[in-house]
Amino acid sequence: MDFAFSEEQDMLRAAAKDWLADRYPADRVAALADGDGRDPGVWRELTELGWLDPELDLLELAVLAEEAGYALLPAPWFSSVALAAPVLGGPPAVPPTLAWIDDAAGSLREAAGTVAVRCDHAVDGCRLTGVKRAVPDAAYAEAAVVVAQDHDRVALYRVELAAHPETVHPLTVVDGTRRIGELRLDGTPAERLDVDPGPALAAVRRRALALLACEAAGVAQRALDLAVEHARSRTQFDRPIGSYQGVSHRLADAYTALALARSLAYRAAWCVATDDPAAEEAVSSAAVAAARASVGGCESAIQALGGIGFTWDHPLHRYYKRAQWIAAFDGSPSRHRADLAALILG
Amino acid sequence: MDFRDSPDEAAFRADLRAWLAAELPDDWADREPHVGRWDFAAAKRWTRALFDAGYAGLTWPKEYGGAGLSPNHQAIYLEETARVDAPDHVGVIGLGMAGPTIIAHGTPEQKAAHLRGILSGDTIFCQGFSEPGSGSDLASVRTRAERDGADFVVNGQKVWSSYAHVADFCILLTRSEAGSQKHRGLTYLLVDMHTPGVEVRPLRQITGDPEFNEVFFTDVRVPVSSVVGEVGGGWQVAMTTLLHERGTLGFALTARLEALFGRLVTTARKTGAATDPLVRDRIADLYVDLQGLRFTNYRALTALVRTGVPGPEGSVAKLHWSEANQRLTALAVELLGPEGQLSGEGGFWGGYWQYQQLRSRGNTIEAGTSEILRNIVAERVLGLPRSR
Ligand SMILES: Cc1cc2nc3c(=O)[nH]c(=O)nc-3n(C[C@H](O)[C@H](O)[C@H](O)COP(=O)(O)OP(=O)(O)OC[C@H]3O[C@@H](n4cnc5c(N)ncnc54)[C@H](O)[C@@H]3O)c2cc1C
């Protein structure tokens, strides 16, 4: 039994923290979130820093994901390392994403069965038709792995979004730092990937849930830090508000939820990394705890800040929205609890 | 990071499993869970067997009769014994609080006099901290200890002292400096409960069990050699006791919660509630609580093994466990419906859940109320200003 990161992993964390704090101060994140969301150059920088190195194991990615959550990294890193790159294999040359949701499939599991987007075979290759929804970083990505129906089974295809910009439809979204959009495919050329979709999508799901749980821990930590800072400095009735138990006990509960969620997030990453038999249970447990700690933690922080926490100007709402993004990924906490109940009770 | 046992830990676990299988009766696994507290004499016999096999005081140094093993081994012990619902070591307070405090602050004579007896179950300790006027505000204790020659003379009253009715010794927090305030002027004593002037009156708890007591001290003579730490320095010693009470308890409690969770699942199946989606959702939610506690304890444990001090995340263990335990046992009773009103014959498992549920209400009061623990997290972990 040894439940701590290694010295190298701790060094990776420290370096990531420094770079993120320097590259993405709150006002820069706000400008990006309120603008078009694109930060040219960051992809190359992430590549140079090694964040996209296919050699990174899941525990190292877990460390980066947590720090990315703390800084609200507004770059298409998650969609690449968690969703698309493992399917494509090798280091991604351009930002890739994964498109799995459509009228017939609402989740990664369903997408491994049947999807609505279909593949037609033309003389010069495959062509995809149909609408893929809720595609992470759709407007940022230059390539997409698309799950499509080929007669009676699904297969995975690569679409060059950069060559077919007309397929990409950005939508109005809640979280401006990780936008989802639609791919409207209409006989769009695609290259079929030589991967078995069932196991590939199951692996993506586990990996994504583990990394998002770590990211949620970072989000929750930042919200708690902002709340604690405020509760120490803000005075009402001649006392710092953090001395009132109505404030402090709620923050103590937020800390508790975060401590539990963080433990489960790390453990999920380890289980997925080592292909542990408990991996399915571990990612579901981590996802439930992560949503509680991050969405609930942000809500407690907003309350502790009072009016200022309710403004667009204060960064807190951006964390809240990211927490909600994470909680909504591929299901919901109640969906994950139903999965857990099936494992426990049959 | 690696959650698997090291070869050494795996061997320890295997040996312990084999030992438990050999020691526990053959039909142990199939019996209904035990209702209420263990019979004292039986618990003493079990403790002696643990001691003889070297399973008492796993983390205590060898020179004091312990096994000198790492906290990881202790965690394995707690998991394995909870898994088969083995009885606990009879000396909860001695093993978990008095012993570690004596190891940290005691004189060589005190160590020689008490530690071995705590491990073997021959010496039972109780804790005399709370008083009618001093609960959460422990530093306000008023039980007096006045110096008279080679003795302190103790007068006052303690309350809620668990096991005082069966105890041989008491760790007693007293005020030895008349007129002193708060944390100053306190002295920590090891008091022989058989000394003239000590009177124990059992108090019946919400469960019906007389588990805790009032203890009256009238001109009780305690030799100066029974002072732990410095005269007037009792507060620091008491803090060591509380640290162990709240800190190292986390693992034992979580291991027990895991066993209870298994019984909740059995109960849900037996009552037919296991197919109810709302019940399934609550069971899954409790499972996440349980897993969160387990792995947070592991994280605190690794910090302890690596650095010698438990990580701050450990401070939430007792707080969260107590509330999860209350939710779990309340759900179990709810699943029984009207039958949940039968606490003996004819009741589900003879009233097992009713006892557990009622007992769980004490969990958020004993060993620091949840409000006090939240204050501690807020002030010491988060660095928020004091609430008082
Ligand atoms: C089952 C059980 C076993 C016990 N065993 C022992 C034992 O062996 N030895 C021993 O010495 N004691 C023992 N105790 C006593 C226990 O430590 C005290 O009950 C506890 O410290 C609370 O003290 P009190 O009962 O005086 O309540 P109080 O301190 O009066 O508290 C009453 C309520 O006020 C709240 N409160 C108090 N101060 C604050 C504050 N600053 N901020 C917010 N809320 C506050 C409390 O949280 C609680 O809800 C035991 C208690 C129980 C229930």
Side-chain angles (χ1 to χ4, degrees):
Chain A
M1 165 57 53
D2 178 41
F3 193 178
F5 286 102
S6 68
E7 229 170 274
E8 293 75 38
Q9 288 159 348
D10 285 343
M11 279 160 59
L12 177 71
R13 181 189 297 280
K17 210 174 197 36
D18 283 350
W19 179 73
L20 285 162
D22 187 50
R23 186 76 166 73
Y24 291 110
D27 53 350
R28 173 125 183 84
V29 174
L32 280 164
D34 295 342
D36 71 355
R38 299 175 69 95
D39 181 11
V42 66
W43 181 259
R44 215 196 60 231
E45 249 179 280
L46 286 172
T47 308
E48 284 167 7
L49 285 168
W51 281 55
L52 295 156
D53 189 339
E55 303 286 292
L56 289 179
D57 72 22
L58 203 61
L59 283 180
E60 289 159 332
L61 292 176
V63 164
L64 296 178
E66 187 177 354
E67 294 310 321
Y70 190 84
L72 221 54
L73 169 65
W77 179 72
F78 166 77
S79 40
S80 174
V81 297
L83 302 177
V87 178
L88 294 169
V94 296
T97 188
L98 177 72
W100 69 99
I101 296 173
D102 61 26
D103 280 349
S107 69
L108 280 162
R109 279 203 192 122
E110 285 168 9
T114 318
V115 293
V117 166
R118 69 167 201 278
C119 161
D120 297 312
H121 296 275
V123 277
D124 53 347
C126 308
R127 310 226 165 218
L128 304 185
T129 299
V131 179
K132 280 289 178 194
R133 291 200 307 269
V135 180
D137 293 315
Y140 223 130
E142 293 180 37
V145 175
V146 178
V147 188
Q149 192 77 26
D150 181 10
H151 297 98
D152 57 348
R153 55 206 189 90
V154 298
L156 304 181
Y157 299 84
R158 180 183 170 116
V159 173
E160 300 304 332
L161 299 180
H164 302 280
E166 73 287 356
T167 60
V168 179
H169 287 260
L171 300 170
T172 308
V173 289
V174 175
D175 178 5
T177 62
R178 183 180 289 151
R179 301 176 187 211
I180 57 174
E182 272 182 10
L183 296 188
R184 298 185 188 161
L185 304 160
D186 185 11
T188 311
E191 174 205 342
R192 183 172 177 142
L193 298 168
D194 185 20
V195 284
D196 190 351
L201 293 175
V204 162
R205 180 175 174 277
R206 282 197 293 271
R207 186 180 170 92
L209 288 175
L211 290 177
L212 285 177
C214 294
E215 184 179 289
V219 168
Q221 183 68 60
R222 185 63 169 266
L224 183 60
D225 286 355
L226 290 168
V228 166
E229 198 181 294
H230 185 77
R232 285 158 67 144
S233 54
R234 168 74 174 169
T235 303
Q236 282 296 279
F237 305 100
D238 300 323
R239 284 164 61 184
I241 56 163
S243 67
Y244 299 114
Q245 292 177 342
V247 175
S248 68
H249 284 192
R250 189 162 178 183
L251 297 182
D253 286 343
Y255 172 81
T256 302
L258 171 56
L260 302 175
R262 180 174 271 145
S263 307
L264 289 179
Y266 296 166
R267 175 219 175 204
W270 182 84
C271 284
V272 175
T274 56
D275 233 342
D276 193 85
E280 283 292 318
E281 174 266 301
V283 297
S284 297
S285 295
V288 173
R292 182 173 305 148
S294 62
V295 177
C298 287
E299 287 168 352
S300 296
I302 292 169
Q303 186 67 20
L305 264 77
I308 188 79
F310 191 66
T311 63
W312 192 270
D313 276 349
H314 196 280
L316 198 47
H317 73 100
R318 303 188 191 281
Y319 286 88
Y320 187 37
K321 290 165 185 174
R322 176 67 72 85
Q324 291 177 325
W325 195 104
I326 294 169
F329 178 82
D330 204 44
S332 63
S334 57
R335 185 64 243 161
H336 296 302
R337 286 197 296 272
D339 286 349
L340 283 171
L343 289 172
I344 298 161
L345 296 163
Chain B
M1 200 178 293
D2 194 340
F3 294 96
R4 289 166 297 207
D5 286 342
S6 70
D8 172 46
E9 289 161 0
F12 176 79
R13 193 188 292 275
D15 285 350
L16 175 57
R17 274 192 191 179
W19 185 82
L20 288 168
E23 288 297 312
L24 292 169
D26 288 343
D27 58 352
W28 188 258
D30 309 317
R31 78 198 202 299
E32 289 188 353
H34 184 83
V35 183
R37 296 212 57 77
W38 295 98
D39 166 65
F40 185 64
K44 271 204 157 188
R45 281 195 302 279
W46 177 255
T47 301
R48 184 72 213 195
L50 282 175
F51 176 72
D52 290 340
Y55 288 121
L58 289 171
T59 57
W60 287 23
K62 282 197 171 139
E63 52 181 315
Y64 305 133
L69 293 171
S70 79
N72 283 353
H73 291 83
Q74 174 73 5
I76 291 171
Y77 167 83
L78 293 167
E79 284 173 2
E80 292 299 322
T81 51
R83 199 175 56 82
V84 297
D85 196 29
D88 291 326
H89 188 285
V90 71
V92 180
I93 292 179
L95 197 64
M97 294 178 239
T101 305
I102 293 170
I103 290 175
H105 302 281
T107 62
E109 292 73 25
Q110 289 166 351
K111 289 173 181 166
H114 296 291
L115 295 177
R116 192 179 176 282
I118 289 174
L119 293 181
S120 67
D122 291 329
T123 313
I124 304 296
F125 265 85
C126 67
Q127 179 192 20
F129 280 22
S130 306
E131 297 180 4
S134 306
S136 299
D137 185 9
L138 181 60
S140 68
V141 291
R142 279 187 299 210
T143 293
R144 281 175 292 131
E146 286 156 317
R147 185 70 185 260
D148 181 25
D151 293 335
F152 276 103
V153 179
V154 177
N155 280 285
Q157 185 194 344
K158 294 289 173 178
V159 72
W160 324 128
S161 291
S162 306
Y163 318 110
H165 56 300
V166 292
D168 305 295
F169 279 88
C170 179
I171 42 176
L172 189 72
L173 191 60
T174 63
R175 189 161 297 281
S176 55
E177 216 175 283
S180 65
Q181 292 291 316
K182 296 195 173 160
H183 312 87
R184 278 183 295 276
L186 300 177
T187 293
Y188 192 112
L189 298 171
L190 303 174
V191 178
D192 185 336
M193 292 294 280
H194 309 297
T195 319
V198 177
E199 192 199 338
V200 178
R201 291 187 204 156
L203 294 167
R204 212 164 166 211
Q205 296 181 175
I206 203 169
T207 54
D209 277 353
E211 194 187 51
F212 59 26
N213 307 267
E214 293 178 294
V215 188
F216 296 87
F217 297 86
T218 313
D219 294 332
V220 177
R221 299 196 77 88
V222 182
V224 171
S225 60
S226 300
V227 172
V228 185
E230 303 291 321
V231 172
W235 184 253
Q236 287 84 318
V237 185
M239 285 304 102
T240 302
T241 305
L242 294 189
L243 189 77
H244 282 276
E245 179 175 26
R246 290 166 194 170
T248 45
L249 215 60
F251 244 98
L253 301 174
T254 303
R256 264 191 251 160
L257 187 67
E258 198 167 346
L260 242 63
F261 183 82
R263 285 183 210 128
L264 173 68
V265 168
T266 306
T267 305
R269 291 215 174 99
K270 281 185 190 266
T271 55
T275 53
D276 177 340
L278 296 180
V279 171
R280 291 170 72 86
D281 190 68
R282 286 165 73 187
I283 289 179
D285 211 34
L286 281 164
Y287 183 76
V288 175
D289 277 327
L290 169 64
Q291 292 292 72
L293 279 166
R294 265 184 70 188
F295 287 94
T296 301
N297 282 334
Y298 287 141
R299 208 147 57 87
L301 190 66
T302 295
L304 179 67
V305 171
R306 285 196 182 187
T307 66
V309 277
E313 52 283 332
S315 59
V316 306
K318 192 267 179 180
L319 176 61
H320 195 72
W321 163 79
S322 60
E323 295 178 357
N325 197 36
Q326 291 177 346
R327 280 195 295 275
L328 191 157
T329 52
L331 174 58
V333 171
E334 189 185 318
L335 297 185
L336 304 179
E339 208 189 315
Q341 283 299 303
L342 295 176
S343 62
E345 195 194 337
F348 188 91
W349 285 344
Y352 171 80
W353 284 120
Q354 293 80 340
Y355 179 89
Q356 294 292 336
Q357 190 276 325
L358 289 169
R359 182 63 186 81
S360 76
R361 299 314 306 180
N363 301 154
T364 48
I365 302 169
E366 60 196 322
T369 69
S370 292
E371 289 73 25
I372 295 304
L373 297 182
R374 286 191 169 87
N375 282 350
I376 291 175
V377 170
E379 291 163 21
R380 310 234 182 103
V381 182
L382 298 180
L384 290 171
R386 285 174 68 85
S387 62
R388 46 195 194 282

